[in-house]
Amino acid sequence: MQQGGRLDGVQQAALLRERGQIVEAVTLLDQVMTTCEKNGDWIHFADALAERIVCWKHLLQNRPRSQESKYLSLMKRDAEAGLRLRVSISYKSPFYLRLGDYYIFLHDFVLAERAYRKAVDLKEGEFDEGEYIAHWAESLLAVEQTQYALKVIRQSLNLAMKHKGGYERWHWLIVLSGILSRKVKIDLVNGHKRSAQKAFAKGYALAWVLLVWYWKPQRWRQYHQAIRDELLKRMRRR
């Protein structure tokens, strides 16, 4: 398989995942990884492995709670496997990022913040640095560094806007809507209700565009889950 084919395989898997065809995406990634392993191509193996962790994450978010431990275990297994790969340290930033995701699901926010900070350090200067910084900002909020989280999420948004041209259009919408969803939480905790409302409205609109124009429902589902969670919180307070 040619190098372009391998990269296309990972990109195609990402497209399948965002369309909700996550099992098919995992199957394709397994095929890509098998070919890379035979060829000793560990850089592109790492690309595919990192994408597979995102698939586990989305399955975790979309499946019943009874399957939660299964997908958490798969996320941790693949993230740790990625960190053991014999590739340059710069290729390991996605695995620190996903390890941070794993700890977020466990509500171990201190370890999540450390993992995200390491991922950000390794991503410094790259076009997708802003995307990584947004994850870090959310973990800073979780460890009660609220003012610092506000500063960092603004930095994330500025960097993402600066490097907009580095993404395909659909990927850019996913990145920006994800940053805005985290900004909502951070703004609210810092008492910036109006700013949070604007961020939510814009992020939700982008999620709707992804659903209707690109048939990528995952971000839309995440926004609706956030709405449901907030409504449940308010009902419990009554």
Side-chain angles (χ1 to χ4, degrees):
M1 186 184 296
Q2 297 298 313
Q3 177 175 325
R6 275 194 298 271
L7 287 173
D8 287 345
V10 177
Q11 291 167 353
Q12 182 62 34
L15 288 169
L16 288 169
R17 169 176 55 77
E18 288 297 333
R19 289 172 182 158
Q21 298 172 267
I22 306 176
V23 174
E24 293 87 344
V26 170
T27 300
L28 177 57
L29 290 166
D30 288 344
Q31 294 170 357
V32 172
M33 290 164 63
T34 297
T35 301
C36 289
E37 188 172 12
K38 286 178 181 177
N39 295 338
D41 188 349
W42 299 110
I43 290 176
H44 295 115
F45 182 96
D47 289 338
L49 182 60
E51 175 58 33
R52 191 169 73 176
I53 303 172
V54 185
C55 290
W56 302 140
K57 179 181 176 180
H58 284 194
L59 285 168
L60 174 61
Q61 292 170 330
N62 297 343
R63 291 294 195 266
R65 288 192 178 275
S66 59
Q67 298 184 33
E68 190 173 278
S69 60
K70 170 185 175 181
Y71 292 115
L72 278 171
S73 177
L74 289 169
M75 282 180 67
K76 184 172 187 261
R77 181 200 69 184
D78 281 1
E80 291 178 342
L83 292 174
R84 291 193 299 269
L85 287 175
R86 294 182 179 179
V87 294
S88 168
I89 189 67
S90 63
Y91 288 99
K92 296 188 177 182
S93 54
F95 302 109
Y96 282 108
L97 184 76
R98 300 310 166 192
L99 195 59
D101 289 346
Y102 167 77
Y103 287 127
I104 285 287
F105 281 115
L106 292 184
H107 298 282
D108 192 333
F109 302 123
V110 172
L111 288 182
E113 190 276 330
R114 290 176 187 169
Y116 285 143
R117 181 162 20 106
K118 181 66 174 179
V120 168
D121 287 345
L122 294 175
K123 269 288 173 183
E124 186 175 2
E126 297 189 29
F127 80 94
D128 53 350
E129 180 184 5
E131 181 180 355
Y132 279 57
I133 289 175
H135 286 263
W136 182 38
E138 187 175 18
S139 70
L140 288 169
L141 182 68
V143 295
E144 300 182 352
Q145 295 188 46
T146 56
Q147 289 290 320
Y148 192 29
L150 185 62
K151 176 183 177 181
V152 170
I153 197 66
R154 288 171 176 169
Q155 179 189 7
S156 166
L157 192 55
N158 289 337
L159 282 169
M161 295 298 293
K162 179 181 177 182
H163 296 292
K164 176 180 178 180
Y167 295 93
E168 290 187 50
R169 174 66 177 170
W170 66 269
H171 194 179
W172 161 246
L173 294 175
I174 288 170
V175 169
L176 185 56
S177 59
I179 293 172
L180 289 169
S181 71
R182 293 176 173 90
K183 188 174 185 296
V184 171
K185 301 174 189 176
I186 295 169
D187 280 342
L188 285 173
V189 171
N190 280 280
H192 303 313
K193 185 176 180 181
R194 183 60 179 160
S195 179
Q197 289 172 337
K198 288 181 179 179
F200 183 86
K202 186 172 183 179
Y204 185 81
L206 295 178
W208 184 255
V209 170
L210 281 163
L211 174 66
V212 175
W213 288 5
Y214 295 93
W215 187 234
K216 292 179 171 56
Q218 183 64 24
R219 186 66 81 208
W220 182 82
R221 288 173 183 156
Q222 290 169 342
Y223 268 82
H224 273 258
Q225 184 61 54
I227 293 170
R228 287 194 293 269
D229 290 347
E230 183 59 29
L231 288 173
L232 284 172
K233 285 180 185 177
R234 293 188 181 191
M235 289 171 64
R236 290 186 187 120
R237 289 189 196 124
R238 295 175 183 176

